[in-house]
C-alpha cells in the first residue's frame, strides 16, 4: 500500500532551469495539494486540486504551475527556478476538504543554486 | 488572513516531563487537526477535533479544542524520546487561499 509517492526525492537545479515534481496517490482521493516547507514557516499551500482536471491557487502560487490530468497524479512545475524556491516540497491527498486527514508523501528536497 | 499561531516554537525537555503545545487563532474553525512529523518524512495525522470543548486522548497525548473553536492544545504526559518531532496544527474548513498550518513546534525529548 504505497499511499502518496513523490518523485524525485532530491534534486539540485541551477537558476533558470525548469523541472516537474510528480505526485501519485493510490487511495482514490479527490483532493490533492502541494505544499512547501521552510524553517520556521510551517507548511504553506502552493496549489491544490479538488478533482481531476481542476486546479486552484493556494497561499504562495507565484513561480509554480500545476496540472491534474489524471485523478491519481498531481504535477508541480517550476518554469524558471529561482534560489527562493529552495525548499522541501510535500504533496498530500484527502477524500474531501473538511475534517478529513491529509495523507502526505515523504517530500522532495529541492536546491536551486 | 486566518493565522494559526503555535507556541512554543521550540521545546527541549527531559524524559518523563510533561508539556503543552498551543495553537491559537482569532478565527473560528469547523475543525482542527494535529499532525506529527519526523525528519525526512511527511506529517502524519494524530487527531481531529470538531466540537467546542472536545477532549481526545491518544495514549499519553491529550488534545483539547477550545469552547469557542478558536484554539487548541496538545498535552503530553511523561514525555519519551520517541515523542521527539515537529508538531503541527491545521485548521480545517477554511478557505484554501489562507494559511491553514501553524508554524509548528519542534519538540526534543532527551533521555
Amino acid at each position: 500500500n504505497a499511499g502518496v509517492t513523490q518523485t524525485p526525492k532530491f534534486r539540485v537545479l541551477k537558476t533558470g532551469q525548469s523541472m516537474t515534481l510528480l505526485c501519485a496517490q493510490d487511495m482514490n482521493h479527490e483532493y490533492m495539494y502541494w505544499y512547501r516547507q521552510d524553517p520556521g514557516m510551517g507548511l504553506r499551500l502552493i496549489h491544490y486540486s479538488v478533482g481531476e482536471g481542476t486546479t486552484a491557487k493556494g497561499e504562495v502560487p507565484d513561480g509554480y504551475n500545476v496540472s491534474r490530468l489524471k485523478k491519481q497524479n498531481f504535477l508541480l512545475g517550476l518554469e524558471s527556478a529561482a534560489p527562493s524556491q529552495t525548499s522541501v516540497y510535500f504533496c498530500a491527498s484527502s477524500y474531501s476538504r473538511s475534517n478529513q486527514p491529509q495523507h502526505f508523501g515523504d517530500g522532495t528536497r529541492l536546491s536551486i543554486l | 488572513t486566518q493565522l494559526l499561531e503555535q507556541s512554543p516554537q521550540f521545546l527541549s525537555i527531559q524524559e518523563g516531563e510533561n508539556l503543552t503545545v498551543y495553537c491559537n487563532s482569532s478565527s473560528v474553525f469547523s475543525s482542527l487537526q494535529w499532525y506529527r512529523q519526523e525528519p525526512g518524512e511527511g506529517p502524519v495525522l494524530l487527531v481531529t477535533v470538531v466540537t467546542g470543548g472536545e477532549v481526545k486522548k491518544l495514549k499519553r497525548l491529550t488534545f483539547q479544542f477550545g469552547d469557542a473553536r478558536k484554539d487548541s492544545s496538545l498535552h503530553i504526559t511523561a514525555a519519551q524520546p520517541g515523542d521527539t518531532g515537529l508538531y503541527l496544527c491545521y485548521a480545517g474548513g477554511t478557505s484554501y487561499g489562507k494559511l491553514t498550518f501553524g508554524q509548528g513546534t519542534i519538540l526534543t525529548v532527551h533521555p
Side-chain angles (χ1 to χ4, degrees), chain B residues 50-98:
Chain B
V50 297
T51 305
E54 182 177 5
V55 177
K56 281 191 174 180
K57 292 190 175 182
L58 186 65
K59 296 183 180 179
R60 294 175 292 100
L61 279 62
T62 302
F63 305 85
Q64 185 162 9
F65 202 13
D67 291 340
R69 291 186 288 123
K70 293 183 178 181
D71 55 84
S72 180
S73 64
L74 157 61
H75 182 79
I76 301 179
T77 303
Q80 299 177 359
D83 295 326
T84 294
L86 173 66
Y87 289 83
L88 294 156
C89 62
Y90 173 84
T94 64
S95 166
Y96 280 120
K98 311 298 183 184

Side-chain angles (χ1 to χ4, degrees), chain B residues 29-47:
Chain B
F29 300 114
S30 61
S31 67
L32 195 138
Q33 298 172 340
W34 285 94
Y35 289 80
R36 178 168 169 264
Q37 183 180 16
E38 297 191 37
E41 300 180 4
V44 176
L45 180 72
L46 294 173
V47 76

Side-chain angles (χ1 to χ4, degrees), chain A residues 31 33 35 37 40-45 48 57-59 90 94 96-107, chain B residues 9 30-31 33 35 37 40-43 45 48 50 86 88 90 92-103:
Chain A
Y31 288 67
Y33 319 82
Y35 292 93
Q37 187 173 39
M41 300 294 289
L43 287 159
R44 293 185 291 170
L45 185 64
Y48 66 99
K57 294 180 179 180
E59 181 195 4
F90 285 96
S94 65
S96 63
R97 180 172 168 174
S98 297
N99 302 345
Q100 296 298 312
Q102 293 186 42
H103 297 262
F104 286 83
D106 287 336
Chain B
Q9 188 174 355
S30 61
S31 67
Q33 298 172 340
Y35 289 80
Q37 183 180 16
E41 300 180 4
L45 180 72
T48 301
V50 297
L86 173 66
L88 294 156
Y90 173 84
T94 64
S95 166
Y96 280 120
K98 311 298 183 184
L99 179 67
T100 53
F101 270 97
Q103 297 99 320

Side-chain angles (χ1 to χ4, degrees), chain A residues 84-99:
Chain A
S84 61
Q85 293 177 305
T86 293
S87 187
V88 181
Y89 292 86
F90 285 96
C91 175
S93 69
S94 65
Y95 278 115
S96 63
R97 180 172 168 174
S98 297
N99 302 345

Side-chain angles (χ1 to χ4, degrees), chain A residues 24-52:
Chain A
Q25 53 98 1
D26 61 2
M27 296 171 284
N28 200 35
H29 285 167
E30 289 292 336
Y31 288 67
M32 296 188 74
Y33 319 82
W34 275 107
Y35 292 93
R36 61 178 289 173
Q37 187 173 39
D38 304 290
M41 300 294 289
L43 287 159
R44 293 185 291 170
L45 185 64
I46 304 172
H47 286 280
Y48 66 99
S49 169
V50 301
E52 180 178 322

